[in-house]
Structures are given as C-alpha cells and as structure tokens.
Amino acid sequence: MAILPCVDSLGKQGYRFIVSGCISAVFDIGLTYLFQFGFGWAPFYARTIGFIVGTLVAYMINRRWTFGMGASTKRFVQVWLLYGMSYFLNTLIYDYGFHFLDNFVNQYVAATAAFVVAQGVATVINFFVQRWFIFNKNRNGNS
C-alpha cells in the first residue's frame, strides 16, 4: 500500500487527524453502543472494546495519511503505549461521565456526551504527542 505524501503544517495535519478520528469514531462509538446497550455490558467494558478497535483504525489511517510515515515496529509500540495511557484516561472520563449524566438525561444522551468529552480529551493529547514525538521526521528521520 502506498504511503501518501506527508503534510508538515500543523493545520493540515490537525485537519487530517480530525478526519481520521471521525472515521475511527464510527467504529469506536458503534461498538461501544453495541456492547453497552445491545449486550448489556457495563460502560467501562463496552468502552474498552470500542476504544481498542477505534485506536487500531486511527493508527492505520494516521500513520500513512496524516503523518506520511512507513511501517515501523518502534512507532507502532510507541503509539500503543501512548494509547494505552490515554485508554485509562478515556475510559475513566467516559465511565464517570456516563454515570453522572445518566442521573439527568436519558442513557443515550449521557453515553454520547460522555463519549464526546472523553474522546475530545484523548484526541488532543494523542495528536500532539504523535506529532511532536512519535511521527516527528526531525526526530525519527524520513521513514
């Protein structure tokens, strides 16, 4: 599979990161809802399944399209370590947010709002860590 040309500007990379995030969010929230509301799983566990699949989709798109980098075991491990840390933050915000909001609005609105806040926090952290450290061509060469 060809690697698309990298754009180095913050704006273009940010735009591509958001687009890839929206694509991966479809998988993420879809699976979260399926397991939480379809199968009756606790919010934390349902969110875990969605997060893992969404993260894999985001990594595959961002590595090639957003940052224009080739395959690298080192970067793959770095991204998964970063996403492992953001997983805990993301699921914590989602779980507490859902249970808090569920007292005031219906469960679907609570789940959606908690998802948006949790994903928003994780997205900002993930973008800048990946841009500045993991996919930084000045630090990692051109591969």
Side-chain angles (χ1 to χ4, degrees), residues 62-92:
N62 283 322
R63 180 180 59 83
R64 294 183 190 281
W65 186 50
T66 304
F67 300 109
M69 295 284 211
S72 162
T73 302
K74 177 183 174 186
R75 280 192 298 270
F76 181 78
V77 169
Q78 289 172 330
V79 167
W80 280 94
L81 287 172
L82 167 65
Y83 277 34
M85 289 183 277
S86 68
Y87 158 80
F88 288 107
L89 179 62
N90 190 307
T91 53
L92 185 69

Side-chain angles (χ1 to χ4, degrees), residues 37-71:
F37 301 118
F39 299 138
W41 287 23
F44 178 84
Y45 297 112
R47 184 73 193 97
T48 298
I49 299 297
F51 185 88
I52 290 169
V53 173
T55 297
L56 183 58
V57 170
Y59 169 76
M60 292 186 304
I61 296 170
N62 283 322
R63 180 180 59 83
R64 294 183 190 281
W65 186 50
T66 304
F67 300 109
M69 295 284 211

